[in-house]
Amino acid sequence: MTDIVTGGGGGGGAGGVGSTRSLTKNGYVFIGDQLTNLKTLTTYMSSAVNNWSSFYDDTGTAYTPSGSNIYNIKSFEINVGNTWGGTMNLDLSYADTSPGLNSGSAPSTIQYYGHGSAGILRSTGVNAGDEAVLKVNWTLPNGKYLIASDNIATNAALFAYGYESSS
Amino acid sequence: MSRTYVIGSYCFAGDQLTNLYALNTYFNNTLNNWSVYYDETGSAYTPSGSNQFYVKVFETSNVNSVGAQMDFGYAQTSPGLNATSAPSTMQYFGAGSAGILLHAKDTAGSTALVNVNYIMPNGNYLIGHDDGLSQFGTMAYGYEGS
C-alpha cells in the first residue's frame, strides 16, 4: 500500500517514508512517470479578433514534444485579462508549425480538437480575473505545436497541463 | 497506487481512465436544434469495436446571456452540427425531449454541469438537443467499455 499525498488546488506534496509524490491539478492525479514528465505550458491571447498563439514551455520555447514523444493533455486553464461585453470563445488545436503569439492567421496544417473552429469549445467569463477550467484527455502528436485561438476580442492567459510519454 | 481523474463528482480510474473520452460540440443561436458530439480528432463520436459508451458528466459553458434547456440522447445516424430536426432513431436519456435534463445558466461565461450514469449502445452517436436560443460549447465525459 502506497500513500498518495496531494495538496489542495494546484499544490502537490511529498510524503514521508514509503510515500509517493503526486500532484493533483484540476482533478487529475499526476504520479510516477506522469509527474516526472509533467509539462506546464503557457500562452497569451491579445485583444484581437481571430488570433492564434502557440503554447510555450518553461524555457520560453514554443512547445513540441521531445524525441519521439507525444504530449498527453489533461486540462486547460483560462484566465481572462480584460472586462468587456462578451466572452472569450476558445478553440484548441495543433499544427506542423508554430504561429508564435497572436498571429492573425492559422497555420496551414491546423487540426482542431473537438467540433472545429467556431470558437466555442469553451467560453470564459466576462470580467477581468475570471477563470475557467476545461478538462480533457487529448493527445498532441510528436512533431506538432499546441495552439490556442479565439474569435473574439478578449485578452487572456492560458495554461495547459499534461505529460510527455512514448505512446 | 493508481492514477485518478475527478470530473464533476465522478472519479475515473483504471480502465475507465485509460478509455476516458472528452467529447465536445456546440450550439448556435437557432431555436430547437440537434448537434452530435465530436472526439479529439474532429470525428463524430461512435464507440469503437463492439464497445458501449458510459456517460458520466455533461457540461455547458455559455457564450451569450440566454439560458439553454438541454436534452441528451443517441441515434444511429449523426445529425452533424445544429441540425433543425432530430434523427429518426433518436432515443433520449431521461424524461424526453422537452429540454429538461440540464438548464444552463443565462449569463455569458457561466457553466452548468450534471452528473449522470447513462449507457449509449454500440452503433450510435451521442447527441445534444437545445430547445432555446442560446449559444454555448458543451462537453461530455465518459468511457468506453464492453
Side-chain angles (χ1 to χ4, degrees):
Chain A
M1 183 72 175
T2 302
D3 295 332
I4 299 174
V5 182
T6 61
V17 174
S19 70
T20 300
R21 290 182 173 84
S22 68
L23 173 70
T24 301
K25 186 63 187 173
N26 299 331
Y28 188 82
V29 178
F30 294 91
I31 196 169
D33 290 347
Q34 295 186 358
L35 180 57
T36 305
N37 299 313
L38 173 65
K39 302 281 185 186
T40 301
L41 310 178
T42 64
T43 192
Y44 175 76
M45 310 294 292
S46 72
S47 302
V49 177
N50 266 346
N51 54 4
W52 286 259
S53 290
S54 292
F55 280 85
Y56 291 78
D57 64 19
D58 57 350
T59 70
T61 304
Y63 174 74
T64 187
S66 61
S68 57
N69 284 345
I70 62 172
Y71 182 58
N72 303 275
I73 318 162
K74 297 303 176 184
S75 66
F76 294 93
E77 271 182 30
I78 310 108
N79 175 246
V80 176
N82 64 344
T83 299
W84 77 303
T87 58
M88 176 182 176
N89 305 318
L90 178 70
D91 289 315
L92 297 157
S93 60
Y94 59 82
D96 292 346
T97 56
S98 165
L101 280 177
N102 300 299
S103 170
S105 58
S108 59
T109 55
I110 197 157
Q111 171 65 50
Y112 288 96
Y113 293 107
H115 71 76
S117 60
I120 49 176
L121 182 68
R122 177 64 187 238
S123 61
T124 69
V126 297
N127 298 310
D130 278 355
E131 296 177 327
V133 172
L134 178 65
K135 297 179 177 182
V136 299
N137 195 37
W138 295 342
T139 301
L140 175 69
N142 185 259
K144 307 293 186 183
Y145 291 86
L146 186 63
I147 298 167
S149 54
D150 66 6
N151 65 355
I152 208 156
T154 309
N155 75 45
L158 293 98
F159 302 83
Y161 299 93
Y163 62 92
E164 278 194 10
S165 68
S166 57
S167 61
Chain B
M1 164 171 89
S2 64
R3 295 178 175 87
T4 62
Y5 197 1
V6 175
I7 301 177
S9 298
Y10 192 82
C11 183
F12 295 89
D15 290 347
Q16 296 181 2
L17 181 56
T18 307
N19 299 312
L20 170 65
Y21 281 77
L23 307 177
N24 159 255
T25 193
Y26 85 92
F27 291 86
N28 64 13
N29 296 307
T30 305
L31 186 64
N32 219 13
N33 53 5
W34 287 258
S35 289
V36 73
Y37 279 83
Y38 293 83
D39 65 18
E40 71 169 290
T41 71
S43 300
Y45 173 74
T46 186
S48 60
S50 57
N51 284 343
Q52 303 182 110
F53 186 61
Y54 297 83
V55 198
K56 298 299 179 184
V57 179
F58 288 107
E59 185 185 33
T60 61
S61 59
N62 273 30
V63 173
N64 62 2
S65 296
V66 179
Q69 303 171 58
M70 287 206 69
D71 300 301
F72 305 94
Y74 56 85
Q76 293 170 14
T77 56
S78 164
L81 284 175
N82 299 297
T84 53
S85 60
S88 60
T89 56
M90 185 80 190
Q91 172 66 51
Y92 291 95
F93 295 119
S97 61
I100 52 177
L101 188 59
L102 175 63
H103 286 197
K105 297 174 184 175
D106 60 358
T107 303
S110 66
T111 62
L113 182 149
V114 61
N115 279 102
V116 297
N117 196 35
Y118 295 148
I119 298 174
M120 181 174 78
N122 184 260
N124 287 278
Y125 293 87
L126 188 65
I127 296 167
H129 167 234
D130 164 32
D131 71 351
L133 277 170
S134 186
Q135 183 181 6
F136 56 98
T138 168
M139 303 290 294
Y141 301 97
Y143 63 91
E144 279 194 8
S146 57

